Amino acid sequence: TLEPDNSQLLSKLCGNLNENLSLIEKYLAVEIIQRGNNFRVVGPKTSITEAQKFIEDTYKKLSENTAFELNNKELNMALNSIAGQQKRQDKEKFIPEFQVMIKERAITPRTINQERYLKRIQDNDINFGIGPAGTGKTYLAMACAVAAFEKGLVKRLVLVRPAVEAGEKLGFLPGDLAQKVDPYLRPMYDALYDLMGVERVTKLIEKQVIEIAPLAYMRGRTINDSFIILDESQNTTKEQMKMFLTRIGFNSTAIVTGDITQVDLPKGVTPGLRHAIEVLASIKGISMTFFETFDVVRHPIVQRVVSAYDHYEQTHSPEYL
């Protein structure tokens, strides 16, 4: 219960059509029921405490300073900061209950989103892993692929990337087409080498048990009994994404990874990943796992870099201004 019971202050707190309360609900994962100056908050215990404190502190500011206005931009920033702190604490408390076994080696998730991702890959034919750099999207996908291959669940691994220039031109690179494209596939080689060893990977590639190919080479194919991974999918067009997803044959699992904030497509071209999220979100047999800044498991400086860019984009985006 907020005191004093002042309708003007309550109107400022709640916002037009309760838009401020809706933002609190969105960021802190709670439900707020308001009747006059009485507020009921429903949700996880930690979230209830954070929401209650935020509402009380904000109302106190409004009461003490009648000129104080709740700016939409500042409200977003404040709530994002609280939500971020809450997620950091959740990450520190996280105890994994699921692992991917590759021979005698266990690949263990480090965050709740990573664990969800691994579980969903086991249960769905098509899986999307979407989020910033360093969250383990590609590495965990590769671990699931190698584990399935080692168990004999699939006969081949097919690893795909769109050959889109990140500011460079393919024509300027030396060598034939395969040699030009090879650098774009290097992150997938690195993950394979770590999981299976350089010598074994080289032999399996020579036997075409492991195929690493540019996306353009997928047209017209149907791929059965395989684990298929499309990496850097934010650089696909709508048509390319549809083409890739319709290549999947019987007894095959596909994983699509990407970061919608790092698109290298020409301006005006809708990324296939963004379009697929809208089109396929409710389709049975397709899972979508969204990673966040706090899922970054690289050097701590990477997490701070990603957070800084997120903060800048939020405070400079027309949506927030």
Side-chain angles (χ1 to χ4, degrees):
T1 301
L2 299 179
E3 298 292 347
D5 184 359
N6 184 308
S7 59
Q8 287 187 326
L9 294 178
L10 287 167
S11 178
K12 283 185 179 182
L13 173 68
C14 297
N16 185 33
L17 300 175
N18 282 350
E19 63 179 359
N20 293 344
L21 296 185
S22 296
L23 277 177
I24 298 171
E25 290 178 323
K26 171 189 166 186
Y27 276 99
L28 302 184
V30 295
E31 181 184 355
I32 301 172
I33 299 97
Q34 181 241 341
R35 297 286 184 273
N37 66 329
N38 292 307
F39 291 74
R40 182 166 177 250
V41 184
V42 181
K45 187 175 180 180
T46 306
S47 299
I48 290 173
T49 303
E50 293 288 0
Q52 180 181 343
K53 185 175 186 303
F54 184 80
I55 291 170
E56 290 175 345
D57 289 350
T58 305
Y59 194 71
K60 185 178 179 182
K61 286 181 184 178
L62 290 166
S63 303
E64 293 174 347
N65 182 4
T66 54
F68 176 69
E69 295 288 342
L70 265 185
N71 181 286
N72 185 263
K73 170 181 163 184
E74 292 175 357
L75 186 61
N76 272 281
M77 289 170 59
L79 287 167
N80 188 49
S81 176
I82 294 170
Q85 179 63 33
Q86 189 174 310
K87 286 169 186 169
R88 270 193 294 272
Q89 292 170 353
D90 291 343
K91 183 178 179 180
E92 290 167 3
K93 296 175 185 175
F94 172 67
I95 301 173
E97 300 176 355
F98 186 85
Q99 293 179 325
V100 173
M101 296 300 299
I102 301 175
K103 292 190 174 179
E104 297 178 357
R105 179 180 176 186
I107 306 298
T108 305
R110 299 189 191 178
T111 71
I112 186 65
N113 280 332
Q114 288 191 350
E115 185 168 79
R116 287 172 184 154
Y117 184 50
L118 291 176
K119 286 181 177 178
R120 288 167 181 169
I121 290 170
Q122 310 299 314
D123 299 331
N124 294 276
D125 295 323
I126 298 176
N127 305 272
F128 286 81
I130 303 149
T135 50
K137 305 182 300 293
T138 302
Y139 188 85
L140 293 176
M142 202 71 73
C144 290
V146 172
F149 176 73
E150 299 285 11
K151 292 174 185 175
L153 300 176
V154 295
K155 296 177 181 176
R156 301 175 63 228
L157 306 183
V158 182
L159 314 177
V160 186
R161 278 173 68 109
V164 175
E165 303 96 326
E168 304 87 6
K169 297 296 181 184
L170 280 172
F172 295 150
L173 295 172
D176 58 23
L177 179 60
Q179 291 170 321
K180 289 175 188 288
V181 169
D182 193 64
Y184 292 87
L185 306 174
R186 182 53 52 184
M188 305 185 94
Y189 283 113
D190 291 341
L192 275 177
Y193 292 157
D194 183 60
L195 293 164
M196 300 179 82
V198 177
E199 190 174 327
R200 186 160 182 236
V201 170
T202 303
K203 287 181 180 178
L204 291 174
I205 290 175
E206 287 174 358
K207 294 178 181 178
Q208 296 190 339
V209 174
I210 296 177
E211 178 185 352
I212 304 179
L215 178 60
Y217 291 7
M218 301 295 288
R219 190 171 296 281
R221 300 177 61 184
T222 300
I223 303 173
N224 299 311
D225 300 308
S226 300
F227 212 108
I228 314 162
I229 299 175
L230 171 60
D231 197 29
E232 298 291 344
S233 66
Q234 74 274 7
N235 288 328
T236 62
T237 64
K238 293 186 291 185
E239 295 77 15
Q240 286 174 328
M241 179 63 79
K242 180 182 177 182
M243 181 270 290
F244 172 78
L245 294 174
T246 53
R247 301 306 95 202
I248 299 163
F250 291 103
N251 193 39
S252 286
T253 297
I255 303 178
V256 178
T257 70
D259 178 0
I260 54 177
T261 68
Q262 295 195 32
V263 178
D264 299 315
L265 293 169
K267 287 184 179 180
V269 177
T270 302
L273 178 59
R274 189 184 298 276
H275 184 252
I277 292 170
E278 296 176 14
V279 174
L280 304 174
S282 60
I283 303 299
K284 187 177 180 180
I286 297 179
S287 78
M288 293 194 181
T289 305
F290 294 88
F291 294 91
E292 301 182 58
T293 306
F294 302 101
D295 294 304
V296 172
V297 291
R298 290 182 183 171
H299 191 289
I301 192 65
V302 175
Q303 185 170 331
R304 293 198 289 272
V305 167
V306 174
S307 295
Y309 272 97
D310 285 347
H311 176 76
Y312 179 86
E313 286 163 9
Q314 282 186 3
T315 56
H316 290 73
S317 168
E319 181 183 344
Y320 293 96
L321 295 177

